[in-house]
Amino acid sequence: MPAIVIIGAQWGDEGKGKATDLLGSAVDYVVRYQGGNNAGHTVVINTPTGKEKYALHLLPSGILSPNVVPVIGNGVVIDLAVMFKELDGLIERGIDVSKLKVSANAHVIAPYHVLQDKVVERFLGKRQIGTTGRGIGPTYADKVSRIGIRIQDLYDESILSQKVEAALATKNELFVKIYNRRAVEANQVTETLLSFADRLKPYVTDTSLLLNNALTENKTILLEGGQGTLLDVDHGTYPFVTSSNPVAGGAATGSGIGPNKISTVIGIIKAYTTRVGAGPFPTELFDQNGKELRDVGGEFGTTTGRERRCGWYDAPVARYAVRVNGITDFFLTKLDVLSGFDQIPACVGYEIDGKVHSELPMTQTEFHHAKPVYETLPGWKSDITGARSFSDLPKTAQDYVKFLEEQSGAPISAIGVGQARDATIVLRDLSK
Ligand code: GDP
Ligand code: IMO
Ligand code: MG
């Protein structure tokens, strides 16, 4: 004990990678429990020789901490080519990756899933989700349809080829007859997957057993979510969501530990809001302020390079995230990005069809109609990147943080004031 969960409280890209990396030195295991290489987690570390920047997609951000055992849990979907490319990139930079564990039950993203993701999006035209095109949705769909391929299938060649053939039997009909594509050769897919088997073998583990044994030995486990609460397939802005459960509840299913082992749920939340891809976003800005947030915050996707849509802080979203995740602490990130603004509005409710709502409305149609109700606070107009304690912040920045805390329903226990690992104000030791 204990298990700590880090989740995104908005639409992803809140700075989960930085928060996970920051806690890396204080925990024994870091586990990814859902999603795949749709995630993009940027970690920046100040070293004596300058800034070291890492962009991680599939591997847990804890892999950068030498004493951490990084684990890819059963709930993750794995593109093996991407995983090995990422591992090779880290090995080249001198990172020890030998402790990595990969669940035997995790599902594999096959080349036909990537193809399917792309052709379906194209087919949807104006109604597309704006996925990352990494094959995430089709792989989870196959998992639930019970025609998926798991890591363990790579070690039984006959089962693997039967499963690939079964999956392609209907998919090839769709590729050829509906999407006007060539059929995918089952043998080729099987061979591609088998080509990874030997190199993968030392990493393959019963990760649920491993993690439960670790908890018995009083080790600390950090479960790192990908994406965010509003991208959750159950609790997000469906259908403009990802195909897994980033919420804290997903951490138990996606790693094979009991929910009663989780003692802390850290909601990572930006001091403003961003989203990538299509879907409702009440506080979105289309003016110069939105552009300034994007430029100053470097709001371009780590995975796809797309511009992130930007807007003001949305407290009803924060309160909703507290509710569906059981957030015990917020880690407020990117406060420094707001330093250039004279005035900073924060959304405290919505006006929907003439009525004021303090909570997210029940239906998606209402959410599409939601107009933010703002309270505007004075800015601080000074550089805060050197602040390391709350009292180092200008009074107006302190007031902004206190206002967000009052509005959001959980204590703010850490504040990010810059990109690097150490540019953080820690108000409570989150590893306990
Ligand atoms: P994730 O997907 O939640 O891990 O977030 P991303 O890595 O996709 O996006 C967050 C970006 O903000 C990254 O480039 C981080 O290095 C950066 N970042 C995180 N925290 C802070 C902060 O407090 N201030 C600033 N300026 N940048 C931050
Ligand atoms: P991290 O972990 C932001 C978005 C996509 C799209 C929707 C579905 O870096 O916070 P998918 O490829 O998952 O089927 O796409 O979800 N999306 C993300 N947005 N950050 C992410 O991850 C995301 N992962 C997926 O843009 O709108
Ligand atoms: Mg990201």
Side-chain angles (χ1 to χ4, degrees):
M1 288 277 249
I4 301 164
V5 181
I6 278 190
I7 54 101
Q10 296 157 322
W11 277 279
D13 302 325
E14 298 89 350
K16 299 176 292 294
K18 174 183 157 172
T20 302
D21 171 64
L22 186 70
L23 286 174
S25 58
V27 304
D28 302 297
Y29 292 78
V30 175
V31 188
R32 274 286 305 270
Y33 58 85
Q34 49 65 237
N37 58 309
N38 47 350
H41 300 168
T42 304
V43 177
V44 178
I45 303 168
N46 277 331
T47 69
T49 51
K51 275 190 169 49
E52 288 277 347
K53 189 169 176 175
Y54 297 89
L56 299 164
H57 297 284
L58 187 57
L59 300 170
S61 305
I63 200 158
L64 302 174
S65 301
N67 296 319
V68 157
V69 178
V71 177
I72 298 184
N74 56 277
V76 174
V77 289
I78 304 177
D79 186 323
L80 288 162
V82 169
M83 190 183 89
F84 283 120
K85 193 163 167 242
E86 207 165 307
L87 282 174
D88 286 339
L90 292 179
I91 292 166
E92 246 170 58
R93 294 174 73 176
I95 306 288
D96 174 15
V97 301
S98 61
K99 291 202 285 288
L100 177 70
K101 310 289 177 208
V102 177
S103 168
N105 285 352
H107 279 245
V108 173
I109 301 179
Y112 51 78
H113 291 124
V114 180
L115 175 65
Q116 201 181 338
D117 195 357
K118 290 181 176 154
V119 293
V120 169
E121 279 281 276
R122 210 162 298 153
F123 200 73
L124 282 170
K126 275 207 310 245
R127 287 175 295 129
Q128 68 178 216
I129 307 296
T131 73
T132 58
R134 302 298 192 262
I136 306 295
T139 307
Y140 278 114
D142 281 7
K143 172 178 174 174
V144 176
S145 303
R146 296 165 297 193
I147 54 164
I149 313 288
R150 296 195 292 175
I151 291 290
Q152 57 185 278
D153 297 329
L154 268 55
Y155 303 97
D156 187 330
E157 202 173 324
S158 131
I159 289 278
L160 178 68
S161 58
Q162 283 173 43
K163 288 191 172 182
V164 171
E165 270 169 35
L168 280 173
T170 47
K171 279 186 208 293
N172 271 336
E173 294 286 311
L174 292 172
F175 284 143
V176 173
K177 294 187 182 147
I178 308 281
Y179 299 116
N180 209 14
R181 293 288 176 135
R182 241 178 285 160
V184 176
E185 286 278 345
N187 284 346
Q188 251 174 19
V189 172
T190 306
E191 261 172 47
T192 305
L193 295 179
L194 283 174
S195 72
F196 298 112
D198 287 345
R199 190 174 173 199
L200 181 66
K201 190 106 193 241
Y203 301 115
V204 181
T205 306
D206 180 341
T207 49
S208 165
L209 182 62
L210 175 84
L211 295 172
N212 279 280
N213 286 343
L215 288 168
T216 308
E217 289 165 21
N218 252 354
K219 303 275 196 233
T220 305
I221 293 177
L222 178 65
L223 299 134
E224 178 192 15
Q227 293 76 51
T229 303
L230 276 296
L231 288 173
D232 185 281
V233 69
D234 283 85
H235 300 288
T237 47
Y238 189 92
F240 302 103
V241 292
T242 193
S243 300
S244 64
N245 287 116
V247 294
T253 19
S255 67
I257 66 164
N260 57 341
K261 301 292 194 299
I262 298 167
S263 57
T264 304
V265 178
I266 307 171
I268 314 300
I269 193 154
K270 266 183 215 183
Y272 51 98
T273 313
T274 64
R275 122 164 258 183
V276 195
F281 177 2
T283 63
E284 182 168 15
L285 294 165
F286 301 95
D287 59 5
Q288 187 56 30
N289 288 328
K291 188 176 177 323
E292 186 170 337
L293 287 173
R294 181 155 48 246
D295 291 345
V296 179
E299 297 297 353
F300 299 89
T302 315
T303 300
T304 57
R306 286 180 289 178
E307 277 191 359
R308 294 176 182 154
R309 300 158 62 191
C310 296
W312 300 123
Y313 189 83
D314 188 328
V317 162
R319 292 197 284 272
Y320 180 73
V322 170
R323 164 152 62 100
V324 299
N325 292 290
I327 290 173
T328 56
D329 301 85
F330 275 120
F331 187 142
L332 184 72
T333 60
K334 304 191 96 162
L335 186 64
D336 54 299
V337 174
L338 298 177
S339 293
F341 291 95
D342 292 319
Q343 305 275 320
I344 309 171
C347 167
V348 294
Y350 306 123
E351 198 205 300
I352 304 170
D353 304 327
K355 269 201 192 139
V356 173
H357 290 239
S358 60
E359 296 289 333
L360 257 65
M362 189 176 76
T363 67
Q364 185 77 350
T365 307
E366 290 170 294
F367 198 53
H368 272 282
H369 295 169
K371 292 196 185 68
V373 175
Y374 286 117
E375 283 200 28
T376 299
L377 286 90
W380 45 94
K381 302 282 278 183
S382 61
D383 182 3
I384 58 166
T385 52
R388 293 294 176 270
S389 72
F390 196 67
S391 59
D392 291 343
L393 291 174
K395 169 85 172 48
T396 43
Q398 292 184 10
D399 289 346
Y400 180 72
V401 173
K402 283 187 201 151
F403 181 75
L404 298 194
E405 186 170 62
E406 276 161 26
Q407 288 288 328
S408 303
I412 292 176
S413 299
I415 304 166
V417 292
Q419 219 185 1
R421 181 194 275 174
D422 54 348
T424 307
I425 298 171
V426 179
L427 301 165
R428 176 176 102 72
D429 180 357
L430 291 168
S431 65
K432 302 240 157 57

